[in-house]
Amino acid sequence: MIDSINHCTPRWLGMAVAFGLAALIMIYLSYSLPRLLPGDFVISMYSSSQVTLTSEQETELRDYYMEDPGFFKYALRLAHLDWGYSYAFLMPVSALFFSALPWTLLLLGTAHILSMFIGFVSGVEVAWRRDSWLEKGMVSTMTILEGVPEISTGVVLLVLFALHLEWFPASGATTAYAELSFWTKLIDIGYHLALPLLTLILAYFPGNFLLARNSMVMVIKKPYIMTAKAKGLPDRRIRYAHAARNALLPLVTRFGLRLAFIITGALVVERIFSYPGLGTLLFNAIKARDLPLIQSVVLVSSLMVLAIILCLEIIYRIIDPRVVYEH
Amino acid sequence: MSLYIEKLSVLYKENSHAIQALEEVNLELHSGKCLSIIGESGSGKTTLALACLGLLPKNASIEGEIRLNGRPVDYDDEKSLNDLRWAEISIVFQNGAANLNPVHRIIDQVAEPLIHRKGIGHEEAISSAAKILGEFGLGHNECNRFPQQLSGGQIQRALLAMALIMDPDVLILDEPTCGLDALTKSMVANIIRETKDKNKAVLLITHDLEFAERNSDVVAMLYLGQIMETLPSKDLFHSPMHPYTMAMVRAYPAMNTARDLGGIRGDAFYRTMHQHGHKKGAVYRHTHIQSPGYEHESGHAPSTGCIFQNRCTQAVDACRLEPVALEVIGGHEVRCVRHGIVDILSLKGVEKKYGDVVALNSTNFTIKAGEVFSLVGETGSGKTTLAMIAAGVLKPENGKRIFEGKDMDDWIRSDYESFSRKTGVVFQNPAEAISHRFTVFEAVAEPLRIHGLFNNNDELNTKVKEALGYVHLSTDTAFLGRYPHELNMGALQRVSIARALVLKPSLLIADEPTSSLDPSVQAKVIKLLLELQTELGLSMLFVTHDIGLARKISDRIGVMLSGRLVEVGPASLIIERPAHPYTRLLIDSVSGIPPDFPKSQLTLASNSGCPFTERCNRVKDVCKHKNPSLIGIEERLVACHYPLISKNVK
């Protein structure tokens, strides 16, 4: 029965329905959840200032800022791609979002890709040298590193390299107000990126290494590796085309799941290094109870995660042909 | 172009102990030939295959030498090994699909050695791979699939194509037919033949005895890392010379096997060796046979002597003394202290007359250790007489009897007591064979009492209960106190089997043990007898008039007519293609087919003419004047002037 349904409906249709439903739920949550935050924009705006509001003024302000458009109107507005206007920054939310997004993508994307690549290659090479001192040493070091949270690595790096040694800048993504040529600007960006990037790599790489090594160790025992050896193939061909290729799948899964933490991952590190990305933006928005900004950042970043998962689903099929046919 | 394996020993080291996978294996494989390695799981077959390719894991320590095309395989030189692999020797591993990488297409995996070993261009390599896959019946579509999209048979073809892509001199096939359908099996057989025709050598590792017999030239039987017998494959089914080979044959469900399958008694998985600290600090090595049932202390392998002794049907004290070497006997290489399967009993020219009635004409026959021999024939054909002569109960007028290598008549005359412990007899009618005044306990205990083989009553009790345990009877006090008339016939026959076995004889003689039982009880008793025969390693002489029953239980059958054996040979052959018209008649009458001669009349043996003349529809003049003597046709002996199968076949 189930089989026959699966045969007549194209698989992509089922997937589209599932993803559409997930997106709808996210839109509703992005509307309702930020409203549950204790306090509001008026309190956070005026509680710390010298201005004392009369109760009429306060009611008026609150009426203006806290007006509830209802979910339907909220959704309609989103459908027009109108993200709203930030109370605190007095700018369109989309402009704020798109000015912060590139920095987060640069930081998180580079960190993820680099840590995955380094973790994968070192995991494969170390697993191939099973039972050597190198393997034992690496595995125990990485297990310890895996336990250190990025908040502490970040602070240590900041104190050591930025404050003490003064090798790298302590905050920002670029040198402010500097007139630079294209290349020097690029170097400047890299210079600012170094510490937050290193923090994230140190946080992500041990996990990737351990996963790659474990999955490689399992794959090495498979009969097809013996077949490849029996065929007299060059060592590197066996290691990468036969073994590592099969060990890759769990790592891709991990990569995808990690991307879901792109905002929260950024939040801590971006705060430590005052990096002007989405994390910092969200942090400031929450601090100011800037409802339209919170809603948009939460919604758009969760939709991004959804899109990433969809992409992974497609990538899986390419790297592991079994996914398509197992049913 | 050939493969020589010389004194190859492989030990897998694990912490404090080592597993002995192979011990001084010598094999030769010449081009154009196929050698089969047969053995139980854990006997070291796959280790042997891996050793030939230098693929043993790092913890393996290797002694001895493997020479491929005259050059020794150097295990430490990975580069020379890589040059050897696939180009000179290739392998099809067992377990099909697991040996193919799930993320690469079939054709890429087949072409891979050409690209990365020979440096052939991608296009060209793919097209040669497509060509060879095509020859093996995999079309363009299948070639471009991933392993998990193909059926087991297609996978096997792909693996074979892959193994042959670089045109190696030696092809190793590890369980190539395991789990495959009959048609793919025959395809594998074809490939073996073609490979042999191309003057290449094939090393076939298999459980499949029939496949090995048909497709290989020589068979080597491997047991716990030792070669027990090397024999021409044509001898595998009907004239093995080692008890292990015989037991393996008996356990194998070949197409023409009629008898119920029997295993090998006991079990063995692999041998481990380790060292224990002795009290005085000395360390000694000893060997365990590891299997789930054994505790450390009870699982010791025989420390000296033959490693098969604890499962053998003919083990004697000499087997325990020293290690056994292979010796050449009659074209086989056999590792056995007793020089191959021995005859437990052999009768030469025995005759018996009752007054002026000749019950048994001069007859020769032998029972091999560990086999079930059935005597079949109509009433009055002399079966029981022959069986009782074999049991030592009757004395023949003429002829010689040899039991376990000793002259039986001398033995009986000088020490009947010790002889009578060697044979157990189960009679036809259990109600008559057990004294009405004996309880079950007394009936079974009687032989022990006569022979005085117990020290106190506890021991007597234990031995009686053990014997009743063999035959699956209750051992509680109430049952032990029952009298024969209180038991049904099935239970009673079991009691008499227990009585026959209580002295642990080496030959059990059963004279129509089930003819007084109804079929359902008969089935149980027969199963029981076969089980005991396997587990106790007995030899058995089974007398029955029912050739259908004989077919289910015997290794060999002797057909008796008028006091003569007229056909003797392997049960499967005799039932499938009887040579004597009388055997044919017996087989037909079991299924109720009416005979096609006018009258049925039993003639007692006369010295002139064949005793079957009056009922035979092939009768010629010579039959009436000359009694035919036994001649060998197709691995059997038959006494007929015009046998049903041609003398020239095979």
Side-chain angles (χ1 to χ4, degrees):
Chain A
M1 185 69 191
I2 290 169
D3 266 4
S4 67
I5 290 172
N6 280 335
H7 279 298
C8 26
T9 3
R11 279 174 62 89
W12 61 265
L13 195 68
M15 236 158 74
V17 169
F19 276 86
L21 209 65
L24 264 179
I25 292 171
M26 281 174 184
I27 291 172
Y28 180 73
L29 289 179
S30 76
Y31 162 76
S32 58
L33 281 183
R35 284 183 184 280
L36 300 176
L37 281 172
D40 57 37
F41 178 69
V42 180
I43 293 173
S44 78
M45 194 71 187
Y46 293 98
S47 60
S48 57
S49 72
Q50 304 297 322
V51 186
T52 321
L53 295 174
T54 62
S55 62
E56 289 87 50
Q57 281 173 317
E58 203 179 316
T59 322
E60 217 170 292
L61 278 171
R62 199 155 274 155
D63 283 346
Y64 177 74
Y65 283 117
M66 305 315 292
E67 182 203 6
D68 184 357
F71 177 65
F72 185 68
K73 263 194 182 158
Y74 173 79
L76 206 66
R77 222 180 58 210
L78 281 179
H80 287 101
L81 297 179
D82 175 9
W83 298 17
Y85 202 79
S86 164
Y87 303 154
F89 297 95
L90 305 175
M91 276 171 82
V93 168
S94 53
L96 281 168
F97 185 86
F98 285 114
S99 71
L101 182 66
W103 296 117
T104 297
L105 286 186
L106 177 69
L107 176 61
L108 270 291
T110 320
H112 272 300
I113 290 167
L114 276 183
S115 65
M116 165 133 163
F117 182 75
I118 301 171
F120 179 64
V121 173
S122 57
V124 166
E125 294 296 329
V126 162
W128 198 252
R129 291 161 182 77
R130 187 118 169 78
D131 292 329
S132 63
W133 284 109
L134 176 73
E135 193 216 9
K136 285 170 186 160
M138 281 287 274
V139 169
S140 35
T141 315
M142 291 303 150
T143 312
I144 293 166
L145 264 186
E146 168 80 340
V148 180
E150 63 219 46
I151 190 161
S152 48
T153 12
V155 170
V156 168
L157 290 180
L158 186 74
V159 169
L160 195 66
F161 292 105
L163 305 183
H164 189 66
L165 294 172
E166 297 183 6
W167 288 356
F168 294 101
S171 70
T174 49
T175 310
Y177 311 115
E179 297 285 333
L180 297 168
S181 70
F182 178 74
W183 290 110
T184 42
K185 192 170 181 191
L186 217 60
I187 291 166
D188 186 49
I189 289 174
Y191 187 50
H192 281 85
L193 190 64
L195 281 185
L197 185 65
L198 188 61
T199 311
L200 284 177
I201 289 178
L202 282 179
Y204 297 158
F205 151 70
N208 289 336
F209 165 82
L210 290 173
L211 188 67
R213 180 228 161 235
N214 283 352
S215 106
M216 189 70 180
V217 164
M218 299 303 289
V219 169
I220 286 172
K221 292 181 191 147
K222 294 274 159 96
Y224 53 76
I225 301 299
M226 184 68 99
T227 308
K229 280 187 190 164
K231 280 154 99 174
L233 299 174
D235 208 44
R236 198 192 301 162
R237 169 91 192 156
I238 302 173
R239 211 172 348 167
Y240 284 95
H242 287 278
R245 177 71 199 277
N246 279 285
L248 194 59
L249 197 67
L251 219 64
V252 174
T253 311
R254 179 184 159 92
F255 185 72
L257 291 177
R258 280 270 144 183
L259 282 184
F261 296 104
I262 196 160
I263 304 302
T264 47
L267 199 113
V268 173
V269 174
E270 283 181 5
R271 278 303 302 155
I272 296 172
F273 294 98
S274 308
Y275 205 75
L278 279 180
T280 310
L281 185 67
L282 182 64
F283 183 85
N284 290 334
I286 292 171
K287 215 168 80 179
R289 298 293 189 272
D290 189 346
L291 218 51
L293 190 54
I294 300 175
Q295 283 174 335
S296 300
V297 174
V298 167
L299 177 62
V300 175
S301 45
S302 51
L303 286 182
M304 271 166 53
V305 171
L306 203 62
I308 288 165
I309 292 173
L310 189 64
C311 290
L312 279 177
E313 198 63 36
I314 294 158
I315 291 172
Y316 272 173
R317 281 154 198 249
I318 298 166
I319 62 170
D320 189 354
R322 279 172 297 187
V323 175
V324 187
Y325 303 98
E326 267 170 22
H327 207 51
Chain B
M1 288 200 287
S2 49
L3 180 70
Y4 286 94
I5 297 173
E6 247 180 50
K7 289 203 164 181
L8 181 72
S9 298
V10 177
L11 277 169
Y12 292 115
K13 286 180 189 146
E14 271 173 25
N15 302 327
S16 64
H17 63 276
I19 295 170
Q20 178 102 47
L22 290 176
E23 191 178 347
E24 302 212 338
V25 169
N26 290 312
L27 286 172
E28 282 178 27
L29 176 57
H30 298 282
S31 46
K33 298 280 178 200
C34 175
L35 168 71
S36 286
I37 313 270
I38 294 174
E40 295 177 293
S41 312
S43 56
K45 308 188 294 286
T46 301
T47 298
L48 186 68
L50 293 180
C52 294
L53 282 132
L55 283 172
L56 290 173
K58 281 184 201 144
N59 65 342
S61 80
I62 306 159
E63 281 169 39
E65 192 173 73
I66 297 178
R67 284 204 308 280
L68 188 60
N69 294 342
R71 276 175 293 119
V73 175
D74 181 0
Y75 294 103
D76 301 320
D77 184 355
E78 197 65 22
K79 193 183 166 303
S80 78
L81 280 177
N82 269 346
D83 290 342
L84 208 73
R85 290 168 185 162
W86 234 249
E88 291 183 38
I89 183 165
S90 69
I91 183 168
V92 173
F93 287 109
Q94 56 181 330
N95 301 334
N99 298 302
L100 289 170
N101 195 325
V103 302
H104 295 299
R105 292 174 196 280
I106 297 289
I107 193 158
D108 292 333
Q109 299 194 48
V110 174
E112 195 180 17
L114 292 181
I115 300 169
H116 294 273
R117 291 286 305 282
K118 282 190 168 175
I120 292 174
H122 189 263
E123 295 285 309
E124 200 188 327
I126 291 286
S127 73
S128 2
K131 187 166 159 273
I132 192 164
L133 281 163
E135 284 168 20
F136 285 66
L138 293 177
H140 182 256
N141 273 337
E142 286 91 5
C143 289
N144 281 305
R145 296 218 170 119
F146 292 97
Q148 60 278 8
Q149 292 169 277
L150 298 186
S151 69
Q154 288 171 324
I155 290 282
Q156 201 63 22
R157 287 158 204 239
L159 286 170
L160 282 160
M162 191 164 82
L164 292 170
I165 187 95
M166 284 182 74
D167 204 25
D169 302 327
V170 179
L171 176 66
I172 302 178
L173 302 172
D174 192 355
E175 304 282 5
T177 58
C178 189
L180 291 183
D181 61 299
L183 289 178
T184 315
K185 242 187 196 181
S186 69
M187 191 209 66
V188 176
N190 252 335
I191 290 168
I192 292 176
R193 205 179 54 224
E194 283 167 17
T195 317
K196 272 161 61 176
D197 288 348
K198 287 183 195 155
N199 213 25
K200 294 172 185 196
V202 180
L203 183 66
L204 174 67
I205 291 169
T206 185
H207 283 122
D208 191 336
L209 271 69
E210 213 170 20
F211 190 80
E213 187 217 7
R214 298 262 161 82
N215 294 293
S216 55
D217 304 287
V218 178
V219 176
M221 305 296 299
L222 206 57
Y223 178 74
L224 292 180
Q226 274 189 352
I227 289 186
M228 286 291 154
E229 184 175 6
T230 312
L231 69 166
S233 57
K234 64 176 170 48
D235 288 352
L236 180 60
F237 276 94
H238 298 307
S239 40
M241 289 188 65
H242 196 282
Y244 176 58
T245 316
M246 187 169 88
M248 289 292 276
V249 168
R250 175 180 284 163
Y252 183 77
M255 263 319 273
N256 54 9
T257 313
R259 76 160 265 177
D260 285 349
L261 302 179
I264 307 180
R265 66 175 171 148
D267 43 14
F269 291 85
Y270 48 86
R271 285 196 285 163
T272 64
M273 283 190 200
H274 58 181
Q275 305 187 329
H276 286 295
H278 227 259
K279 277 177 195 164
K280 290 172 188 164
V283 174
Y284 75 103
R285 277 168 76 106
H286 66 283
T287 306
H288 288 270
I289 291 185
Q290 291 280 334
S291 71
Y294 284 123
E295 293 296 315
H296 177 100
E297 287 308 319
S298 64
H300 284 161
S303 51
T304 51
C306 173
I307 53 172
F308 190 62
Q309 59 177 274
N310 52 344
R311 303 179 71 194
C312 188
T313 48
Q314 58 176 39
V316 292
D317 290 341
C319 298
R320 274 177 258 287
L321 296 179
E322 36 193 282
V324 202
L326 282 168
E327 59 180 325
V328 179
I329 304 169
H332 298 204
E333 276 181 55
V334 185
R335 189 190 293 275
C336 183
V337 174
R338 310 189 69 185
H339 316 293
I341 297 168
V342 295
D343 295 334
I344 192 155
L345 173 70
S346 91
L347 302 183
K348 285 175 187 155
V350 289
E351 284 179 35
K352 184 74 188 170
K353 283 182 191 151
Y354 297 112
D356 57 349
V357 179
V358 180
L360 190 65
N361 282 294
S362 172
T363 301
N364 301 321
F365 93 110
T366 54
I367 300 176
K368 292 177 188 164
E371 82 170 346
V372 180
F373 187 97
S374 285
L375 279 177
V376 294
E378 61 203 346
T379 329
S381 56
K383 305 186 299 278
T384 302
T385 306
L386 186 52
M388 290 307 125
I389 287 172
V393 177
L394 279 180
K395 194 175 179 320
E397 265 103 42
N398 281 313
K400 205 169 158 70
R401 295 183 285 179
I402 294 165
F403 190 89
E404 289 190 343
K406 295 184 209 163
D407 186 304
M408 193 165 135
D409 294 288
D410 282 354
W411 193 351
I412 290 174
R413 222 174 295 125
S414 60
D415 186 5
Y416 182 72
E417 201 167 281
S418 77
F419 171 79
S420 62
R421 271 176 235 151
K422 290 287 181 179
T423 57
V425 185
V426 178
F427 295 95
Q428 182 167 357
N429 188 346
E432 294 301 319
I434 296 173
S435 168
H436 299 230
R437 292 182 185 80
F438 275 1
T439 61
V440 169
F441 179 83
E442 281 162 344
V444 180
E446 191 189 18
L448 290 168
R449 288 188 206 276
I450 292 172
H451 290 271
L453 287 175
F454 61 97
N455 296 323
N456 49 44
N457 280 334
D458 284 348
E459 201 179 325
L460 181 68
N461 263 318
T462 324
K463 286 191 168 176
V464 168
K465 284 179 179 173
E466 185 192 21
L468 288 171
Y470 289 152
V471 297
H472 304 314
L473 282 175
S474 157
T475 52
D476 61 29
T477 333
F479 184 82
L480 290 176
R482 296 244 174 106
Y483 284 92
H485 66 267
E486 294 175 280
L487 301 177
N488 62 35
M489 290 295 264
L492 213 51
Q493 192 60 293
R494 285 168 196 235
V495 172
S496 81
I497 294 171
R499 183 179 61 179
L501 293 178
V502 75
L503 293 175
K504 304 215 159 88
S506 50
L507 174 66
L508 182 69
I509 294 161
D511 184 7
E512 303 264 12
T514 60
S515 56
S516 57
L517 307 177
D518 66 71
S520 67
V521 180
Q522 163 171 301
K524 282 185 179 172
V525 172
I526 290 296
K527 276 187 110 78
L528 178 73
L529 278 174
L530 286 180
E531 183 192 316
L532 289 169
Q533 193 260 329
T534 303
E535 285 309 314
L536 303 177
L538 294 173
S539 316
M540 200 155 108
L541 175 61
F542 194 91
V543 178
T544 180
H545 57 261
D546 187 348
I547 198 166
L549 186 63
R551 168 178 177 269
K552 292 299 286 178
I553 63 170
S554 11
D555 298 300
R556 288 195 304 142
I557 287 181
V559 181
M560 288 202 75
L561 169 68
S562 305
R564 290 170 207 277
L565 273 171
V566 293
E567 189 168 1
V568 186
S572 55
L573 282 180
I574 288 192
I575 303 292
E576 200 183 339
R577 285 158 55 83
H580 200 285
Y582 174 60
T583 315
R584 172 92 264 162
L585 174 70
L586 287 175
I587 294 170
D588 287 348
S589 40
V590 167
S591 41
I593 299 171
D596 57 354
F597 48 83
K599 52 176 182 166
S600 172
Q601 185 191 337
L602 178 67
T603 40
L604 276 173
S606 63
N607 281 328
S608 65
C610 171
F612 196 55
T613 316
E614 287 169 44
R615 286 180 287 170
C616 188
N617 52 8
R618 298 164 70 87
V619 65
K620 302 253 165 60
D621 269 356
V622 64
C623 300
K624 291 174 184 159
H625 306 304
K626 188 168 170 248
N627 201 349
S629 50
L630 284 168
I631 49 165
I633 305 174
E634 275 195 29
E635 321 201 17
R636 78 186 86 182
L637 293 170
V638 62
C640 181
H641 292 299
Y642 300 99
L644 295 169
I645 52 176
S646 151
K647 293 174 197 179
N648 299 328
V649 176
K650 204 168 180 184

